[in-house]
Amino acid sequence: MTLVKLDYSVNNIDDILKTMALLTVETTSWIYGDDMGLPENIKMYIEYKKKAMPITYLMYDDTKMFAYLTLSIDNNILNIEDIHILKDYRNNSSTMMTILSAIAKEYLANKLTINKVVYYINKKNELSQHNFAKYSKSRIENKNNYMYELDLENQFILKLLEKCKEEA
């Protein structure tokens, strides 16, 4: 598995964003409906991402994009905004490691300005709750989701941060 931080200045950015849009449709059409995959909706998705340019990490298995992760930094908090993972990769420890590596890399790149990492998980998504809970120090219930805070003192997370620091 390969982890790549998206560079919005690459020549094939529209192709990459279209692949992300199709992955989003495949992973969330059961929530939002199949019309997400209509050409005009994909075009709007591409234009929005090109304008917003969120911090995005792409995950590949050989040449196939199987997941992406969108992050933001607001008020010294690194927020995990969005994670889309193809079904065959969801209950996979390598996928979880890749996601945590992306978070660790972004945390290390902005360590001086970040004092916590949070993510929101839909109450119906029990698999993600289970996978992320073991690395969290708190969970706060909201109307439709739970907010988790990554435990930056967790031994596994500390080792991962150290590994990412060595690779940088």
Side-chain angles (χ1 to χ4, degrees):
M1 293 187 179
T2 307
L3 178 66
V4 176
K5 186 171 182 177
L6 182 58
D7 177 355
Y8 288 89
S9 67
V10 296
N11 289 334
N12 64 337
I13 189 65
D14 285 3
D15 294 335
I16 294 169
L17 293 173
K18 182 177 182 181
T19 302
M20 288 172 58
L22 294 172
L23 196 145
T24 302
V25 169
E26 189 170 337
T27 59
T28 58
S29 62
W30 62 277
I31 299 171
Y32 301 110
D34 291 330
D35 62 337
M36 284 178 58
L38 296 174
E40 58 268 21
N41 290 342
I42 289 175
K43 184 178 178 189
M44 283 190 326
Y45 176 93
I46 291 169
E47 292 307 314
Y48 168 75
K49 291 291 186 180
K50 284 169 65 174
K51 187 175 181 180
M53 294 194 305
I55 303 164
T56 303
Y57 284 87
L58 311 173
M59 292 160 231
Y60 291 91
D61 189 359
D62 291 323
T63 59
K64 177 184 178 182
M65 184 189 303
F66 69 88
Y68 72 87
L69 169 71
T70 304
L71 306 166
S72 69
I73 300 171
D74 189 29
N75 293 325
N76 297 343
I77 299 171
L78 178 62
N79 293 291
I80 301 165
E81 298 287 338
D82 214 0
I83 301 174
H84 289 278
I85 307 168
L86 291 176
K87 190 174 186 175
D88 293 347
Y89 293 87
R90 288 187 187 153
N91 199 11
N92 181 320
S93 61
S94 295
T95 300
M96 190 65 187
M97 278 297 301
T98 306
I99 291 168
L100 289 171
S101 293
I103 295 165
K105 287 174 189 257
E106 200 59 36
Y107 173 77
L108 289 170
N110 296 284
K111 191 174 181 179
L112 297 176
T113 58
I114 294 174
N115 56 26
K116 72 175 158 179
V117 178
V118 299
Y119 39 95
Y120 297 85
I121 299 175
N122 187 300
K123 287 183 177 178
K124 295 177 184 176
N125 192 340
E126 293 178 17
L127 178 61
S128 289
Q129 289 176 42
H130 171 75
N131 286 339
F132 280 98
K134 44 189 157 183
Y135 307 109
S136 302
K137 69 177 182 179
S138 68
R139 178 177 101 161
I140 298 171
E141 185 171 353
N142 295 312
K143 183 178 178 183
N144 297 319
N145 57 36
Y146 296 106
M147 181 187 85
Y148 290 85
E149 182 178 347
L150 188 68
D151 183 1
L152 296 170
E153 300 299 317
N154 175 296
Q155 288 304 306
F156 177 80
I157 298 298
L158 288 171
K159 286 178 189 172
L160 183 62
L161 287 168
E162 194 58 41
K163 181 181 176 217
C164 289
K165 201 182 298 182
E166 290 168 6
E167 291 174 0

